[in-house]
């Protein structure tokens, strides 16, 4: 949980076992897969920031029942997806 | 509801029956259809995040009567639409 | 009001009488008209999300007297305008 | 104040005397002028949304003394400026 | 403090002594300098909006001890930096 | 902590020992490294804004257990990453 408000030695951002970009690529075959990648990337930042699964489970209960937080989740995914879509040149033929 | 705050096994993001990008394409004939796609994409993230229809119904009642949340909904749609519009080269002739 | 937190059948996003993009185009003659279009597009998402005019009237009273909400309104218009301006190639000669 | 949460007849967005884009152009000579334009454009949306000067004066008192709102003001200006800067090709020689 | 919620005469946005873009340029030698410019530009909007140094000092105390506000500060800098980075073509060789 | 709400002499933004862009470059070998850079850049703004490590530690405890703040952290990283990804031309071959 030392990610955004860092300790004074910032040399390690993430525990080595956490992957932040699945398959280490922004390229996907389809928009649907790109959208799933956007969701995964958003999730992995949360996981890196709060690695305790039990706490994440409690927080899921909170935001899943809070209209503003659900909208905020959609907001983050929209931004991640904008990047993924641009990377894939919008999957134009 | 395990989407943004993921369990430790992130291999499955969404139940297989949920489509995140209708027709698996960002391309539409017109700006109007593009705007509708942006709305749908925003909705589908909410649905994926809170799959319980009854809860979503309750939450709709909340945000439909809350000025700040309505503005926030507009914010998310605006971001999704930016991506859809770019994908379609802004429907320029 | 079933837009962002959708019922299980998402086949209809908007009542057919609601237009989301006036004139079905992002292209305008001038920046001023583009800015007005951005405002209209933001408004129409609110209208689609809360179709009850009486409720919207009450909510206008709320956000018109709330500094943070006024700023949030400006935020959404700024994002919509970014898209409209790009569509028009910024009205460069 | 009928802007973002519109009445059912949306044919008029703004009173005719309100200009939303000063000089009806996004082009400026310098980054400094572009930044000032971004500020003005943000202000004019607020003015359109809350045309009562007395109320705006009260609200200025509020947000000028609220750290989160000051940050939010900076946020909106940043977005408007992104558009103005792109329009001017970042004032590169 | 008359910036975002303007008085009816908007002809003057900023007191003439306030510079909004240091050196009147978005171009910097390096990403590090570009990041510093992004911070400065964000700061100058705050300063323009709340010119009273004593009040700003009090507000700094507030947001420096508030996690959400610190995140919001990072958010604004991120957006300003996106513009500065694009202006500099990302400092690619 | 004098960053966003500046004192009247803005000539020094950051203590000289704080680096805002690691390696003074936005270019990375892979998307994974780019994502880590985005996280680091977001962290360094927080560190610059609140240099007291003890306070940051307390605030980490706060936001790590607050669903809305975790989402907000993801939001900021998403924006930083958009810039890093564009700088790297999305790591396309």
């Amino acid at each position: 949980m030392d990610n955004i408000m860092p300790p004074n030695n910032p040399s390690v951002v993430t525990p080595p076992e956490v992957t932040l970009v699945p398959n280490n690529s922004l390229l996907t075959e389809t928009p649907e897969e790109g959208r799933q990648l956007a969701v995964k990337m958003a999730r992995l930042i949360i996981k890196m920031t709060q690695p305790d699964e039990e706490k994440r489970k409690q927080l899921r209960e909170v935001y899943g029942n809070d209209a503003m937080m659900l909208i905020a989740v959609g907001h983050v995914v929209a931004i991640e997806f904008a990047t993924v879509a641009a990377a894939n040149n919008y999957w134009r033929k």
Side-chain angles (χ1 to χ4, degrees), chain A:
Chain A
M1 210 172 66
D2 59 1
N3 311 298
I4 293 294
M5 297 205 194
N8 277 333
N9 178 345
S11 63
V12 176
V13 172
T14 58
E17 77 276 13
V18 178
T19 294
L20 296 178
V21 182
N23 300 319
N24 206 357
S25 173
L26 299 182
L27 307 182
T28 69
E29 288 295 315
T30 65
E32 181 73 19
E33 291 172 26
R35 194 78 169 165
Q36 294 198 12
L37 176 57
V39 172
K40 283 181 190 168
M41 285 169 60
R43 293 173 71 188
L44 289 164
I45 294 296
I46 302 289
K47 186 173 180 176
M48 178 193 73
T49 308
Q50 177 47 278
D52 183 324
E53 181 171 0
E54 189 54 39
K55 289 195 187 176
R56 288 202 308 274
K57 191 181 166 189
Q58 296 167 5
L59 294 172
R60 279 199 292 275
E61 196 60 35
V62 172
Y63 79 76
N65 294 286
D66 182 302
M68 194 59 164
M69 289 188 198
L70 282 172
I71 296 169
V73 165
H75 196 148
V76 177
V77 172
I79 294 171
E80 300 283 18
F81 183 67
T83 301
V84 173
N88 287 280
N89 205 19
Y90 305 101
W91 300 276
R92 291 186 197 118
K93 309 303 177 200

